[in-house]
Every structure is written in C-alpha cells, then in structure tokens.
Amino acid sequence: MPNCKVIAIANQKGGVGKTTTTANLGVALALRNKKVLLIDADPQADLTTSLGWPNRDELPNTISTIMINSMQDIDFDTEDCVLKHTEGVDLIPSSIELSAMEMSLVNTMSREYTLKQGIESLKDNYDYILIDCMPSLGMITINSLAASDKVIIPVQSHYLPAIGMTQLIKTVGQVKKQINPGLEVEGVLLTLVDGRTKLARTTADTIRNNYGEKLTIFKSEIPMAIKAAEISATGRSIFSNHQNSNVANAYSNLAREVDGSGRHRTKSSDCR
Ligand code: ADP
Ligand code: MG
C-alpha cells in the first residue's frame, strides 16, 4: 500500500493497556475494511498469547527471525513470519528470544533501523501496521519508534503519569531529532478509565489540561471493564463476543479518530 501508516503503541510503564489497545484497535481498523498487521515487539509476547498463540516459544518464525535476517542482510521472505488471525488481522508474533536481541543490536551497524529495514517490504500489503512496544525505552523500543510514522501513548487514568509521560515524550523527541524525523505523536489515549472514581476523572482532566495544548489527547477514552481483561484468555478481541460493550464502542471510536486523522486533524502534535 503506498500509504501504509506504521503506529507504535508505546509507554515504558507496564499495565497501561498497550497490548489490549494494539489488539482491539487493530481489529477495529480491520472492521473498517483496512488491512492491518500487528507486530508483537515485546519478549513477554502478551499480544501473541492474547491473540491465541500461547505456545509462542515453539513458533518457528517471529519478530526475532525478521530482525536477525535484517541484521545479517540475509534475503528472506518476511511473509513467512506472518500469522493470520480469524478476526481479519495479521500478526508477527514474538517470543522470549527477542530479549537476546537487545544485546545483539548493540554491535550492529544501523542498529536503530534493524526492524524498519526488516518490515519494509511488508508495507506494500497493509494500510496499518501497529507495533506493540515493550515496557522499556531500550533498543527494541527505539527500533519500534524508528520504524514508525506515529506513536500512540496509552496512559492509565488512575495513576498520575506526569513523570513517565515526560520521559517518553523526551525519547520520542530524541528519536525524531536523531533517527526518524517523520515521527509524530498521534495521540495520548486514556485507558482503564473508571468513570465511578473521582481520582480517575481528576487524572483524566489533569492530563487534558496539562498536555492538551501540546499533544493530541484522543476524544475516545477506554473504560475499565472486566470483559476487556477476560478476553485476553480467549484468543479473541472484544469485538468477537462483546461487540456492543462500552469497551468495543470506545475502540471503534478510537479507530475512527485514527483512521480519519489525516482529514479531521486540527492540531499537529509536536514533541520537540
Ligand atoms: P500493557 O501492554 O501496557 O502492559 P495490557 O494491555 O497488558 O497493558 O493491560 C494490562 C492489564 O490490564 C491486563 O491484564 C489487561 O487484561 C487489563 N486491561 C486492559 N485494558 C483493560 C480495560 N479496559 N479494563 C479492564 N482491564 C483491562
Ligand atoms: Mg503489553
């Protein structure tokens, strides 16, 4: 696809909804008839497991295969790494092997671009590639940001995230300056919003007030719902059994915001 958009879903804090957002935003975009590839860039492989491949350490081809071949400049059909999910999204899985990559990359030429080079040929096949980042700002996350056009930052709304967000925005700014000038923050996504608690509401408002001038904060907020947590054990997205739930609606709305952002954009995010 000439206009494939690569989006990293990133936050160095764990448990903020990165993986859940990657899976459900991916399926929501597929429901809008977009061709979507999800990339699991976390050695924990939660995305791979939650989409129904729990024995990921037995998979012959993973993101590590792509990165090793890219590092060694070996000709290889990247499509061999792509798994097909029943809900219309494709997946490049991960496994624990990826954690070794953090070290191997250190002595590699163009080490920041290993993933970008590895997935370049796949861009012809997709409208969107979503990369589920690991909870750190190490070399694998830098590779994910270097390979991306946009970053979505999920933020847990019942935790005051000011310090973590500042660090992440700084890293995105550095990557933009030194490695990938085209990188932009697509938006901050408020997740795990418990509408019943005053703290969640106050935190959400604080984020909107403190960052809303500089960054796009998505209108869609992802509510806290036990269904969202439970589905990860089923290998399916929230759309397979709970398509009318609040969480499904929230991810549909988010997909509309992301998919329409070229046309409806009013604010350009700047992280410098
Ligand atoms: P991360 O990838 O940032 O570590 P996850 O997507 O794995 O975060 O989410 C962390 C935990 O919260 C998981 O157990 C997940 O099932 C749960 N979770 C995610 N989104 C929701 C939600 N909207 N409501 C309730 N639980 C959620
Ligand atoms: Mg995760």
Side-chain angles (χ1 to χ4, degrees):
M1 305 270 167
N3 289 321
C4 175
K5 191 158 145 187
V6 185
I7 306 177
I9 319 287
N11 188 330
Q12 78 276 27
K13 186 167 160 46
V16 296
K18 291 183 289 296
T19 300
T20 309
T21 296
T22 307
N24 291 300
L25 173 60
V27 172
L29 288 167
L31 288 168
R32 294 172 64 82
N33 294 322
K34 300 297 171 185
K35 298 211 68 181
V36 181
L37 172 68
L38 310 180
I39 299 182
D40 191 343
D42 183 350
Q44 290 277 324
D46 290 343
L47 180 66
T48 304
T49 307
S50 71
L51 288 174
W53 285 274
N55 41 1
R56 65 277 175 119
D57 292 333
E58 290 163 23
L59 292 167
N61 291 323
T62 64
I63 183 174
S64 304
T65 323
I66 292 180
M67 292 185 78
I68 290 166
N69 283 301
S70 166
M71 265 158 68
Q72 300 177 352
D73 232 343
I74 295 171
D75 235 359
F76 152 83
D77 191 353
T78 319
E79 286 179 40
D80 288 349
C81 294
V82 174
L83 302 173
K84 303 273 170 194
H85 188 263
T86 48
E87 290 177 83
V89 292
D90 289 353
L91 170 72
I92 293 177
S94 178
S95 72
I96 193 69
E97 206 189 338
L98 184 63
S99 54
M101 204 63 62
E102 200 83 57
M103 289 302 293
S104 328
L105 281 168
V106 173
N107 295 317
T108 302
M109 221 192 284
S110 323
R111 56 189 180 169
E112 291 90 357
Y113 301 100
T114 301
L115 181 62
K116 183 185 171 69
Q117 285 158 1
I119 63 170
E120 201 58 42
S121 64
L122 287 169
K123 287 189 190 172
D124 292 340
N125 305 346
Y126 299 99
D127 297 299
Y128 288 96
I129 298 180
L130 307 184
I131 307 178
D132 182 22
C133 293
M134 62 189 290
S136 87
L137 295 174
M139 277 311 294
I140 294 170
T141 299
I142 301 294
N143 263 265
S144 303
L145 294 174
S148 297
D149 305 303
K150 304 280 180 183
V151 191
I152 290 179
I153 306 175
V155 165
Q156 192 183 354
S157 76
H158 53 250
Y159 158 79
L160 205 58
I163 296 166
M165 275 261 289
T166 308
Q167 183 56 47
L168 178 59
I169 305 282
K170 216 168 118 189
T171 302
V172 172
Q174 280 168 341
V175 171
K176 183 180 166 76
K177 208 164 150 193
Q178 296 171 21
I179 301 172
N180 179 6
L183 185 67
E184 299 283 350
V185 175
E186 172 91 10
V188 173
L189 174 68
L190 296 166
T191 60
L192 294 151
V193 178
D194 186 350
R196 294 164 308 178
T197 69
K198 195 157 177 279
L199 176 63
R201 210 45 272 161
T202 310
T203 313
D205 291 343
T206 306
I207 293 169
R208 285 190 187 280
N209 291 337
N210 288 355
Y211 294 96
E213 286 268 298
K214 272 174 82 185
L215 295 170
T216 301
I217 317 277
F218 289 112
K219 287 195 196 76
S220 321
E221 297 181 358
I222 312 301
M224 171 115 75
I226 193 75
K227 285 189 196 88
E230 282 170 358
I231 48 123
S232 58
T234 66
R236 298 297 194 93
S237 81
I238 192 81
F239 296 96
S240 72
N241 286 319
H242 307 287
Q243 69 269 40
N244 296 320
S245 63
N246 290 343
V247 174
N249 282 336
Y251 278 114
S252 297
N253 291 335
L254 176 65
R256 197 174 311 130
E257 284 190 69
V258 169
D259 201 24
S261 63
R263 274 166 286 136
H264 307 301
R265 196 96 184 193
T266 51
K267 192 187 306 171
S268 87
S269 296
D270 195 341
C271 45
R272 273 167 298 185

